Amino acid sequence: MKNMISPLKEKDIKALRAGDEVSLSGVILTARDQAHLRLCELVRKGKPFPVDIKGQVIYYCGPTPAGGSVIGACGPTTSSRMDEFTPELLELGLKGMIGKGKRSREVRESIRDEKAVYFVAPAGAGAYLSKRVRTCEVVAFEDLGPEAIYRLEVENFPLIVAIDSLGNDIYENI
Amino acid sequence: MKQRIVPADRIKDEVSKLLIKANTVLRPDVFKCIKILHANETSPRAKNMLKILIENAEIAKKEKIAICQDTGMACVFIDLGADVKVRGDLLNAVNAGVKEAYLKGNFRKSVVCDPILRKNTNTNTPAVIHVDIVKGDRIKISVMPKGFGSENKGKIFMLNPTVTRENIVDICVNAIKQAGPDACPPYVVGIGLGGTMERSAYLAKKALLGALGERNRKKHIALIEREIISRANGLKIGVMGLGGRSTVMDVKILEDATHIAGLPLAINFSCHALRSASEVI
């Protein structure tokens, strides 16, 4: 198990290999379907993002309401739905993604070309993961509710590297 | 004959209670199955993931947190006795119960009002409601908050009546293979066989309400279930698609009469967090 801090350093990303287990702490940003759609629309219109994604890690997650805690259940959602938007964000400097499941060949190649990394988190364990989030605040698209962009400070998020910066993919043969 | 009267508010209360229970307390048969998979798993990584799932269920139950952040679209099955009368509006009562549960339980509101406009209703309503008229003066309510990671992997096929059982097994195993690591395996696979197109889809969903480990009462159908289970676990997709032997927790088939010209086959997936709860009033 490798301990890592997010945002990730370039040399840390390069040292990761598909299959490595990582305990991630630090800052990550949530974004899922609608947030991705909006970000890519902003790119097309030539407008700035409401939050800087350069060097950041995006977590495909739409949590349940906090209900007095820091956050509710907050596991990963299916990554493949974000595939069509991902290469564009990687070209803009996104360095990491956390989700569940397979990615397309285009995404895998883009991760390799941009020297980024794709992690998978324990899926369907939203209550368990909620205990590893220290702070949670909305930073963009608040009107999207659970699909807004949240800034999370996480501690010891248990992850597995699914696609590394060389383009190795743990799901390639599935 | 005198009709038994049940006020609509009673339905609302029951739907709300059941949805809170289903979303926070893992079904005993599902929990037991995950524990058995954990005990039998030989891949260390898969075993560790199953341990996390056990811990997750324990945290959710103890702290009344949703088992999964996708608290789903509420599917509600009502077996309405012919000798019972609901005083008030049954369908409104069900939706009022859904609204109450998702607010009280701090569950995610994941329902949008229109497939194109996609505006969140912020109440997780409307529910998908199925009402069956049955004998007697009781009302059985079953709720299934259905997450869409697994729902998205569902498939429907209109097969020829001459299709072989082997073909049916192949098609189902292939659908499981295609779902792969994406929809939170180990899966429970609900299969509807026969009826019409929409009837098979309904049966595939309803099959997920059945207890894990119980086989279809018809031997020839149970045989198909067993064959799919065995072949699916041979795919070695495993927990989170990380390999190991736990690809499906169970495969449940509900069959029905059909037409001489066809054989509808619907496949509905559930993730490992198969959530449902029932009550008879």
Side-chain angles (χ1 to χ4, degrees), chain A residues 19 62 75 102 123 128 131 171, chain B residues 45 56 63 69 108 182 240:
Chain A
K102 283 192 284 192
Y128 174 90
K131 299 290 152 196
Y171 295 133
Chain B
R45 184 178 277 167
N56 185 66
E63 303 196 21
Q69 72 287 341
R108 198 178 76 189
D182 292 2
M240 273 182 71

Side-chain angles (χ1 to χ4, degrees), chain A residues 19-21 32 34 62-67 72-78 80-81 100-102 120-131 146 158 160 170-171 174, chain B residues 45 48-49 52-53 55-56 59-60 63 65-71 106-109 118 120 149 152-153 177-178 180-184 236-237 240-243 272-273:
Chain A
D20 285 354
E21 292 181 19
R32 45 175 293 156
Q34 298 301 326
T64 60
C74 56
T77 194
T78 310
S80 60
R81 294 197 314 274
K100 67 172 164 107
K102 283 192 284 192
V120 287
Y128 174 90
L129 290 173
S130 75
K131 299 290 152 196
I160 294 169
I170 54 168
Y171 295 133
I174 290 183
Chain B
R45 184 178 277 167
N48 185 44
M49 281 299 160
I52 287 176
L53 298 186
E55 269 184 62
N56 185 66
I59 292 169
E63 303 196 21
I65 305 174
I67 293 160
C68 174
Q69 72 287 341
D70 188 352
T71 45
N106 287 306
F107 302 149
R108 198 178 76 189
K109 287 78 179 172
R118 306 202 71 85
N120 200 309
N152 280 339
K153 300 294 178 189
K177 195 177 176 187
Q178 281 180 28
D182 292 2
C184 296
K236 304 213 178 303
I237 293 169
M240 273 182 71
L242 297 167
H272 57 70

Side-chain angles (χ1 to χ4, degrees), chain B residues 138-188:
Chain B
R138 302 286 134 184
I139 304 173
K140 183 179 181 185
I141 304 174
S142 303
V143 304
M144 186 192 298
K146 189 66 177 65
F148 256 54
S150 55
E151 191 71 0
N152 280 339
K153 300 294 178 189
K155 290 195 183 305
I156 197 156
F157 302 89
M158 301 305 286
L159 304 174
N160 285 336
T162 50
V163 70
T164 64
R165 290 181 205 182
E166 200 172 85
N167 288 150
I168 292 170
V169 172
D170 284 345
I171 289 166
C172 294
V173 172
N174 199 37
I176 296 166
K177 195 177 176 187
Q178 281 180 28
D182 292 2
C184 296
Y187 300 124
V188 181

Side-chain angles (χ1 to χ4, degrees), chain A residues 74-122:
Chain A
C74 56
T77 194
T78 310
S79 305
S80 60
R81 294 197 314 274
M82 269 53 79
D83 281 354
E84 61 177 300
F85 307 107
T86 298
E88 196 156 15
L89 298 185
L90 286 167
E91 280 166 31
L92 290 167
L94 178 68
K95 280 297 169 193
M97 293 149 288
I98 305 170
K100 67 172 164 107
K102 283 192 284 192
R103 306 307 301 262
S104 66
R105 188 171 51 84
E106 290 74 14
V107 169
R108 186 163 65 226
E109 288 171 3
S110 180
I111 288 171
R112 180 198 62 203
D113 294 347
E114 304 298 334
K115 300 282 168 255
V117 59
Y118 167 56
F119 301 100
V120 287

Side-chain angles (χ1 to χ4, degrees), chain B:
Chain B
M1 188 183 162
K2 196 168 175 285
Q3 276 195 320
R4 178 172 169 248
I5 307 284
V6 172
D9 257 6
R10 178 82 200 281
I11 309 278
K12 183 203 84 175
D13 293 345
E14 210 55 60
V15 166
S16 171
K17 202 176 81 186
L18 288 171
L19 279 167
I20 289 174
K21 183 181 169 191
N23 266 314
T24 56
V25 184
L26 197 58
R27 256 168 61 167
D29 58 331
V30 176
F31 195 40
K32 189 177 158 197
C33 186
I34 289 175
K35 282 182 165 171
I36 292 170
L37 292 180
H38 176 255
N40 294 341
E41 184 58 67
T42 47
S43 149
R45 184 178 277 167
K47 202 177 178 76
N48 185 44
M49 281 299 160
L50 288 161
K51 185 166 160 275
I52 287 176
L53 298 186
I54 293 168
E55 269 184 62
N56 185 66
E58 286 166 348
I59 292 169
K61 186 179 177 183
K62 187 165 158 248
E63 303 196 21
K64 299 184 171 61
I65 305 174
I67 293 160
C68 174
Q69 72 287 341
D70 188 352
T71 45
M73 193 162 189
C75 299
V76 181
F77 297 83
I78 298 177
D79 291 339
L80 186 65
D83 301 326
V84 60
K85 163 103 181 112
V86 176
R87 195 174 61 223
D89 189 320
L90 172 65
L91 301 182
N92 277 352
V94 170
N95 279 314
V98 173
K99 183 180 173 181
E100 183 180 288
Y102 279 71
L103 187 68
K104 262 195 193 170
N106 287 306
F107 302 149
R108 198 178 76 189
K109 287 78 179 172
S110 310
V111 175
V112 294
C113 66
D114 177 288
I116 305 300
L117 304 176
R118 306 202 71 85
K119 187 175 161 37
N120 200 309
T121 62
N122 292 320
T123 56
N124 218 57
T125 63
V128 175
I129 306 170
H130 302 282
V131 182
D132 269 341
I133 308 292
V134 299
K135 279 185 185 168
D137 65 354
R138 302 286 134 184
I139 304 173
K140 183 179 181 185
I141 304 174
S142 303
V143 304
M144 186 192 298
K146 189 66 177 65
F148 256 54
S150 55
E151 191 71 0
N152 280 339
K153 300 294 178 189
K155 290 195 183 305
I156 197 156
F157 302 89
M158 301 305 286
L159 304 174
N160 285 336
T162 50
V163 70
T164 64
R165 290 181 205 182
E166 200 172 85
N167 288 150
I168 292 170
V169 172
D170 284 345
I171 289 166
C172 294
V173 172
N174 199 37
I176 296 166
K177 195 177 176 187
Q178 281 180 28
D182 292 2
C184 296
Y187 300 124
V188 181
V189 185
I191 297 171
L193 209 50
T196 49
M197 187 174 172
E198 87 288 1
R199 177 74 180 161
S200 68
Y202 163 79
L203 291 173
K205 170 76 31 70
K206 197 168 186 180
L208 297 173
L209 289 174
L212 300 193
E214 275 181 20
R215 295 276 60 83
N216 189 295
R217 275 183 295 179
K218 292 183 181 169
K219 276 186 181 165
H220 64 286
I221 302 287
L223 201 65
I224 299 175
E225 290 177 333
R226 284 204 185 88
E227 180 76 18
I228 298 169
I229 293 168
S230 158
R231 292 228 350 239
N233 284 330
L235 294 172
K236 304 213 178 303
I237 293 169
V239 187
M240 273 182 71
L242 297 167
R245 55 171 75 179
S246 326
T247 298
V248 294
M249 292 204 281
D250 207 351
V251 173
K252 316 266 314 168
I253 300 178
L254 285 180
E255 80 291 345
D256 205 354
T258 191
H259 189 276
I260 53 169
L263 176 47
L265 162 63
I267 307 173
N268 191 212
F269 284 88
S270 172
C271 58
H272 57 70
L274 170 55
R275 289 151 289 170
S276 72
S278 299
E279 190 65 85
V280 177
I281 56 176

